[in-house]
Amino acid sequence: MEWGLPWPGPEVAAEAEQAGAAAFCAGEFADTNAYLTTGEMVAATERAMVGPGIAYAFARSPFVHASALRQLSKRAPGRVFLGLGSGTRRMNADWFAVDASAPVRRMEDLIGAVRGYLEAENGRPIVHDGEFYPINADIRAPIFGRLDIPILIGAFNRRMLRTAGRAADGVLGHGIFTDRWWSEVVDPELEGGAAEAGRDPGALRRWGWLITAIDDADPARARRDARLQIAFYLTVKTYDTLVELHGWQDETARIRRTFRAGDMDGMAAAVTDEMLDAIALYGTHEQARERLAARKRLPGLAFLSSPAFLVGERRRQRYATAAIELMRASR
C-alpha cells in the first residue's frame, strides 16, 4: 500500500515526503479552496503527487477546472491529479446555486469536457458534444498540448462508482470505506463500468481516505476522536447503504439522535468497537500497526486522515506526525 496525507502544511509534508509519502490531497469547504491549497502543495513538495481530493465538481465549469490544472502542472509537471466530488443536492442548490440534476450523467459529461481542455492541441478548437457541458471553444492560443492528469471520482454509491470505472481514472474512496465495502461494492462496480467502456479495470486507481488517530500518550483520546469522526460522517443519510451492508442501522439511528441533541459523548459511545475496527486505525502505534495488518482490503494509495470533527489544528498535526511514524516503521 502506498500512502499519503491530506495536506498537513509544509513542515510536516517535508517529513512525510522524506518518509515515503506518495501523494497529498486537498479537500474544500466554505473556508478552504482545494485548488488554492493544491498551489501551496505544489510550492512545498518535490516528488509527491498533489491535487484536489476532492473539489466540488459542479461548482465550477470545465474551463475553470482545466485552467487551474494547467497552471498547476506548469509548476509540478507530471505530479498533479484531480479528485472530483458531486456534493449533495442541497449543497449544489443552496450553497453553489448551480443545477446538479442527474449527477451521475453530469459527472461523466463533466469529466469528458475537462479532458477536452486537458487534451487540447494548439491551433485546434476544443469540441465536446456533451449533454450538460457542450463545448465549442475556438481559443487558438499557443498554450495547449496534451496533459495526462489522472481524474478520480469521490464516489460512494453504486451508480457513481460504475461511472468512475467507465469514465474516470479511478476512485478516491471515503474515510468510512471498510474492507467489505471495497471488496463487495467498489471493486465490482469499477470492474463493471470499465467493462461497459471496454477499459482495463486493472489500470484504474483505487485511492481512498483512511481515518488515523494515533497517540501513545493518550490512546483513549485518539480512540474517542476516531469514534466521533465516524459518527459525524454517519449523520449523513447518503451512507446508509454501507450501514445496511454491515447491519449498523440501530447504532446509526442512535448517532443521529444524539447528534440532534448535541450529545457528543453519546455520539462517540454509539460507535461500537466493531465499527471502529472496520473503519479506522487508532490507539497507540502498536495498536495501529496491528489494525493495519488486520485489514484485508485497503486502497492502493491511502490518505491517512486525522480526525477533524471537534479536533483542533495542533492535535491534527500531531496525528499526522504519528501517521508518518507509523508508515516509516511499517516500511
Side-chain angles (χ1 to χ4, degrees):
M1 180 190 79
E2 291 188 298
W3 65 280
L5 296 172
W7 183 237
E11 293 182 4
V12 176
E15 181 183 355
E17 266 200 309
Q18 203 169 43
F24 299 98
C25 66
E28 63 182 356
F29 199 58
D31 61 346
T32 307
N33 183 288
Y35 282 112
L36 290 178
T37 307
T38 301
E40 295 175 14
M41 295 192 291
V42 164
T45 58
E46 297 178 358
R47 299 176 300 278
M49 296 284 288
V50 294
I54 58 172
Y56 294 125
F58 309 140
R60 302 171 176 89
S61 72
F63 177 92
V64 172
H65 284 296
S67 62
L69 293 168
R70 279 194 172 273
Q71 183 170 357
L72 291 164
S73 293
K74 292 176 186 177
R75 297 281 305 278
R79 294 203 292 126
V80 177
F81 68 89
L82 171 60
L84 291 171
S86 61
T88 67
R89 182 173 60 180
R90 181 176 64 86
M91 290 166 66
N92 282 288
D94 297 351
W95 298 13
F96 312 146
V98 297
D99 182 6
S101 57
V104 173
R105 298 202 318 270
R106 188 179 294 272
M107 180 68 80
E108 186 166 350
D109 191 25
L110 176 71
I111 290 170
V114 171
R115 282 214 176 104
Y117 281 109
L118 295 180
E119 297 172 0
E121 298 291 351
N122 289 327
R124 297 182 182 177
I126 300 156
V127 178
H128 173 73
D129 186 19
E131 177 183 3
F132 303 99
Y133 300 101
I135 306 294
N136 189 351
D138 193 4
I139 298 176
R140 295 185 185 275
I143 57 171
F144 291 132
R146 182 186 179 92
L147 287 179
D148 186 13
I149 293 177
I151 301 176
L152 298 91
I153 302 178
F156 186 90
N157 285 318
R158 293 179 186 273
R159 290 183 64 211
M160 194 65 83
L161 287 165
R162 187 160 286 247
T163 298
R166 189 170 52 247
D169 295 298
V171 65
L172 213 170
H174 196 282
I176 61 169
F177 279 16
T178 62
D179 290 352
R180 284 190 66 188
W181 193 257
W182 277 107
S183 297
E184 298 180 29
V185 178
V186 178
D187 287 339
E189 294 301 335
L190 288 179
E191 290 165 9
E196 290 172 3
R199 307 173 74 202
D200 176 10
L204 296 174
R205 299 173 190 241
R206 292 158 170 85
W207 295 5
W209 287 47
L210 181 58
I211 297 170
T212 307
I214 303 169
D215 189 336
D216 287 337
D218 196 348
R221 183 170 67 176
R223 184 165 54 248
R224 184 179 188 276
D225 285 343
R227 287 184 191 275
L228 270 176
Q229 186 64 57
I230 293 168
F232 180 67
Y233 283 143
L234 292 181
T235 62
V236 180
K237 291 185 177 181
T238 300
Y239 310 131
D240 281 354
T241 46
L242 181 144
V243 168
E244 291 162 7
L245 177 72
H246 288 278
W248 295 339
Q249 293 94 325
D250 290 345
E251 293 85 350
T252 301
R254 182 183 172 193
I255 287 168
R256 292 172 184 172
R257 286 195 304 271
T258 51
F259 179 66
R260 287 193 297 269
D263 178 6
M264 300 299 106
D265 290 336
M267 282 180 67
V271 176
T272 65
D273 289 346
E274 176 196 350
M275 298 166 74
L276 189 60
D277 287 345
I279 293 172
L281 306 180
Y282 65 94
T284 64
H285 274 89
E286 182 178 356
Q287 292 167 338
R289 278 194 296 273
E290 291 172 356
R291 292 186 173 95
L292 181 63
R295 293 290 296 266
K296 303 301 182 185
R297 177 57 181 87
L298 288 162
L301 190 155
F303 292 101
L304 306 181
S305 173
S306 305
F309 181 61
L310 301 181
V311 177
E313 178 64 28
R314 283 186 296 180
R315 194 148 87 246
R316 290 200 299 271
Q317 292 286 86
R318 289 198 295 271
Y319 283 146
T321 300
I324 295 169
E325 293 171 5
L326 172 71
M327 298 315 296
R328 184 185 285 120
S330 298
R331 189 177 63 173

